[in-house]
Amino acid sequence: MVVKTLAQLVEDGCLAGKRVMIRSDLNAPHDEAGNITNETRLVASVPAIRMALDAGAAVMVVSHRGRPTEGLVTEADSLAAIARRMGELLERPMPLIENWVDGGFEVKPGEVVMLQNCRCNAGEKKCDETLSKKYAALCDVFVHDAFGTAHRAQASTVGVARYAPVVCAGPLMAAEIDALTRAVENAKHPLAAIVGGSKVSTKLTILSNLAEKVDQLIVGGGILNTFLLAAGKPIGKSLAEPELVDECRRVLAILEKKGATLPMPVDVVVAKAFAEDAEHRVADADDVREDEMILDVGPKTAAMLGEILRTAGTIVWNGPVGVFEMTPYAEGTRVMAEAIAAATDAGAFSIAGGGDTVAAVGKFGVEKRISYISTGGGAFLEFLEGKTLPAVAVLEERA
């Protein structure tokens, strides 16, 4: 993918005195008192804003919060607390501008303002053309730096990018595009992908798309249980989707046709109840009893998967292989995390994405040993599905 970047515009001296609109993702969680409880997205959005300010631009930051009713701004929808905290992080005032769509406010070069929740604007979610043109009229340069919204064709993600005079990707967006392209489209082989989760149905498109590209496809969680059913293995009362066994067999056929594999477990960790304190045991994959459920891969399987991952050239990680939140069923994911980190240390490129995956990365302390941790959420998953992300597509078109 080739897109114009904010860094290129700064290097070319194109921002001095310009009105720059930056689409950030500042949708941070709040507690009942309205306090921000996780600042990860705020901190990650600071570099793009600083780059534009340091280059002499007048900066407007656009973001959403939650899923408000269009045409109405309630206290729960407001970006007031986020604007205050961003101002502190930037060490300068960051006024919140209400009713901004038709202009009427002033921002001088070297100043920054926050524009009230864009999803409160009528027509935002449907990418209304008139609204998109109004956004574009406010700026000389539009910067998309919110990869987490790249799969949404909305006025603040796609519409404004069609009509703004100059359009580019911010550092977060550019890094995501580079990392995903490197991991999937320009991968160094062997390419291994891990897809975990409770249901095949939610990851079927990803599995089918990755099966066409990878050398090893590792599956975990309820997804693995359905593949075990497809292979004729007993799974007891494990979470699975028997109605999708044929779909799993199609994925296996795709892999077999291209000489790739989906390694099946030789042992699993089973329990009679979904609980941390439930009695559990390691069972051969052929010896799961009717009253047991599979909650992790066993030690032999974890070692096998670890060996596959340690020798990979590229690793795409989306989902754990067991119920890693519970200590008795965390070992498979821990071994896998360590193996991915070791492969990265040895020169492999690794990318991890998805809420559970990022949580596992943090739990097992390998954050600094993963090449790239995606903040994309739904956009990350849709990229893995092989879908065109609307906001990325328009950046390519405008480049």
Side-chain angles (χ1 to χ4, degrees):
M1 297 182 191
V2 178
V3 301
K4 188 177 293 183
T5 67
L6 179 60
Q8 291 169 337
L9 294 183
V10 170
E11 186 177 345
D12 294 341
C14 299
L15 297 187
K18 301 293 186 182
R19 298 170 302 156
V20 174
M21 178 181 288
I22 302 177
R23 177 51 160 107
S24 300
D25 183 0
L26 305 175
N27 186 28
H30 292 61
D31 62 19
E32 293 182 0
N35 301 307
I36 300 167
T37 56
N38 186 319
E39 296 186 346
T40 302
R41 289 176 175 171
L42 278 62
V43 173
S45 299
V46 165
I49 300 169
R50 279 214 173 110
M51 286 174 68
L53 288 170
D54 291 347
V59 181
M60 299 161 279
V61 178
V62 180
S63 183
H64 70 281
R65 179 185 171 192
R67 300 178 183 274
T69 300
E70 288 192 355
L72 179 69
V73 183
T74 69
E75 187 175 344
D77 306 322
S78 178
L79 298 180
I82 291 172
R84 284 194 297 273
R85 183 58 185 142
M86 287 297 291
E88 292 169 358
L89 293 172
L90 291 163
E91 299 180 321
R92 66 184 73 203
M94 192 178 199
L96 177 66
I97 307 298
E98 306 278 359
N99 304 313
W100 53 271
V101 172
D102 293 310
F105 60 92
E106 184 180 7
V107 191
K108 297 177 181 177
E111 294 180 345
V112 58
V113 298
M114 176 78 73
L115 305 181
Q116 184 59 284
N117 193 338
C118 59
R119 285 192 182 165
C120 294
N121 297 331
E124 164 67 20
K125 286 181 280 189
K126 291 186 177 180
C127 199
D128 178 77
E129 182 178 1
T130 299
L131 182 64
S132 299
K133 288 180 176 179
K134 286 185 176 183
Y135 287 175
L138 295 174
C139 64
D140 303 303
V141 178
F142 172 70
V143 183
H144 200 318
D145 201 39
F147 181 79
T149 68
H151 58 312
R152 308 286 190 194
Q154 299 180 342
S156 68
T157 61
V158 171
V160 61
R162 291 188 181 129
Y163 303 111
V166 177
V167 176
C168 69
L172 268 181
M173 173 70 83
E176 290 273 359
I177 292 171
D178 288 346
L180 285 165
T181 301
R182 182 176 175 184
V184 179
E185 295 180 3
N186 300 328
K188 175 185 174 184
H189 290 261
L191 168 58
I194 305 107
V195 180
S198 59
K199 294 184 177 181
V200 172
S201 54
T202 62
K203 300 284 181 76
L204 184 59
T205 311
I206 294 173
L207 291 165
S208 299
N209 185 54
L210 289 177
E212 299 278 3
K213 305 178 188 305
V214 302
D215 303 294
Q216 302 276 359
L217 180 59
I218 296 169
V219 294
I223 293 174
L224 172 60
N225 299 335
T226 308
F227 273 93
L228 286 169
L229 273 183
K233 302 286 187 181
I235 66 166
K237 60 177 184 178
S238 304
L239 176 67
E241 294 175 287
E243 70 277 11
L244 291 178
V245 161
D246 287 344
E247 297 292 345
C248 291
R249 287 177 179 147
R250 288 191 188 98
V251 171
L252 292 170
I254 293 170
L255 291 165
E256 184 179 6
K257 185 177 180 180
K258 65 189 291 289
T261 60
L262 188 150
M264 287 290 184
V266 294
D267 60 347
V268 290
V269 180
V270 297
K272 293 185 178 182
F274 187 80
E276 187 157 9
D277 59 356
E279 184 178 343
H280 59 278
R281 71 184 182 100
V282 175
D284 288 343
D286 292 314
D287 185 34
V288 178
R289 299 164 190 161
E290 288 187 4
D291 62 347
E292 293 177 325
M293 61 182 72
I294 300 168
L295 298 178
D296 193 13
V297 297
K300 292 178 183 177
T301 302
M304 174 184 71
L305 298 180
E307 189 58 34
I308 290 170
L309 293 168
R310 273 189 290 272
T311 58
T314 307
I315 302 165
V316 178
W317 181 13
N318 176 237
V321 292
V323 188
F324 74 97
E325 299 92 342
M326 300 182 187
T327 301
Y329 322 116
E331 191 64 7
T333 303
R334 186 197 67 77
V335 170
M336 195 173 67
E338 286 291 342
I340 295 169
T344 309
D345 293 342
F349 180 79
S350 57
I351 181 168
D356 287 343
T357 311
V358 174
V361 166
K363 178 171 181 173
F364 300 117
V366 295
E367 302 100 319
K368 296 181 179 178
R369 299 171 65 200
I370 303 294
S371 304
Y372 191 81
I373 299 174
S374 175
T375 60
F380 175 80
L381 295 179
E382 290 201 12
F383 188 96
L384 295 186
E385 289 177 12
K387 293 181 179 179
T388 298
L389 302 180
V392 175
V394 74
L395 288 174
E396 290 186 280
E397 291 168 13
R398 293 300 307 274

